[in-house]
Amino acid sequence: KEQVAIVTGASRGIGKEIAVKLAEQGMKLAVAGSSEEINNTAEELKQKGFSDVIAVQTDVSDEQQVKNLVEKTVEAFGQVDVLVNNAGIGFFKLAEEVTVEEWKKLFEVNVQGVFLGAKAVLPHMKERKSGTIITISSDVGRYTIPNGSAYTASKYAVQGFSGALAQEVREYGIRVGTINPGMVDTYFADSEQGLPEKHDWLKVEDIANAVVYMASAPKHMLIDEIVIHPLVQNYPI
Ligand code: NJP
């Protein structure tokens, strides 16, 4: 039976590729991003022949907008099987240089955004006794790095939230897991995709393939966490 997925942060980077790979699996899609660029993602998917795609411009930190995203998806496709909380931002600087505004914004998008996505979709998934919530967290949700105090704190929070949620909703047949990448070649943290110095980093499709694996695992199987690094990344354990 055809499944329906919501992918946040799908204007570019990892989220856009997740949308492509899930569409290739035959899923109907609602793609979300805070800028108008999200319409281009839907347009490109349609050009690739995937007609069951809607774009819903959504800032994941805003409760009403996230509720609207879920409502529009159910209106269009009748159900939500998979929520991919991918939207996220990041910056790297010394703790004392982080402004309160930067800190708040980071937590509103990276942490509150994940909470709001789950909160909006859970009543629907509970009713159907089925669903998968996948969050793109980070390897730095598992260990710390210098200049990463704010970003790392936000991803630790995501890990804590997702782990507890997984235990809460198991009995309803709902699966909650995280994918924790190391360095991925995207636009993340004011970067550009395709820069020569990022040649050996993970590619967006490496993460998108992990999402497909998690989302399409047999119903009896919960994949709690997938950690992926580029071979060249030297990371603490
Ligand atoms: O970043 P980028 P990635 N509401 O900048 C959207 C994690 N990660 O693909 O809002 C809704 O290319 C934005 O679209 P728009 C990272 O923490 C990455 O690398 O329209 N959407 C765009 O589509 C994040 O959780 C690396 O401008 C919002 C997308 O988010 C996830 O991977 C390493 C939004 C960002 O695309 C995807 O990031 C790691 C909002 N308020 C974890 N704000 C890495 N790249 O190395 C932004 O460990 N977006």
Side-chain angles (χ1 to χ4, degrees):
K1 194 170 158 293
E2 276 184 347
Q3 297 212 319
V4 179
I6 295 175
V7 183
T8 69
S11 303
R12 70 193 88 87
I14 295 170
K16 187 174 183 177
E17 186 61 21
I18 292 170
V20 172
K21 292 270 187 253
L22 291 180
E24 285 171 358
Q25 293 297 305
M27 291 199 194
K28 299 176 181 179
L29 281 183
V31 290
S34 69
S35 73
E36 282 180 3
E37 204 181 325
I38 195 60
N39 296 314
N40 301 344
T41 299
E43 208 40 57
E44 282 175 42
L45 281 164
K46 284 181 183 159
Q47 275 164 15
K48 287 185 179 165
F50 305 113
S51 51
D52 289 319
V53 181
I54 57 166
V56 187
Q57 198 177 333
T58 308
D59 178 345
V60 294
S61 66
D62 183 298
E63 183 174 22
Q64 281 313 317
Q65 292 185 37
V66 176
K67 275 187 174 170
N68 174 63
L69 167 63
V70 174
E71 278 164 19
K72 288 270 156 49
T73 310
V74 174
E75 258 169 53
F77 303 126
Q79 65 197 57
V80 182
D81 299 282
V82 179
L83 167 66
V84 185
N85 286 314
N86 163 78
I89 55 175
F91 55 80
F92 298 89
K93 53 168 98 168
L94 294 172
E96 74 233 42
E97 288 169 5
V98 177
T99 66
V100 171
E101 288 69 32
E102 287 170 333
W103 177 275
K104 277 190 180 160
K105 169 93 177 156
L106 188 71
F107 274 74
E108 277 173 14
V109 177
N110 290 10
V111 187
Q112 187 167 301
V114 170
F115 158 63
L116 291 176
K119 189 172 162 68
V121 92
L122 276 171
H124 173 79
M125 287 184 171
K126 277 189 174 174
E127 202 180 302
R128 297 183 67 225
K129 294 215 169 349
S130 169
T132 306
I133 299 176
I134 299 169
T135 299
I136 311 304
S137 178
S138 177
D139 59 343
V140 299
R142 314 172 84 253
Y143 55 73
T144 55
I145 51 167
N147 291 316
S149 55
Y151 182 68
T152 300
S154 78
K155 293 300 190 179
Y156 265 72
V158 165
Q159 291 298 119
F161 175 76
S162 300
L165 185 68
Q167 294 170 348
E168 279 177 29
V169 300
R170 229 158 32 106
E171 62 186 288
Y172 299 96
I174 301 168
R175 311 182 288 189
V176 179
T178 59
I179 293 176
N180 301 305
M183 303 180 308
V184 191
D185 178 11
T186 69
Y187 301 89
F188 181 69
D190 275 335
S191 182
E192 289 290 323
Q193 200 168 22
L195 296 176
E197 60 266 34
K198 302 200 289 185
H199 183 263
D200 293 331
W201 292 22
L202 295 170
K203 314 281 174 241
V204 288
E205 50 267 35
D206 301 329
I207 311 308
N209 285 333
V211 172
V212 168
Y213 176 57
M214 233 184 205
S216 58
K219 288 277 180 204
H220 69 276
M221 189 171 151
L222 164 65
I223 305 171
D224 305 86
E225 196 177 349
I226 299 178
V227 186
I228 313 172
H229 286 104
L231 194 56
V232 294
Q233 186 178 345
N234 182 17
Y235 60 91
I237 298 178

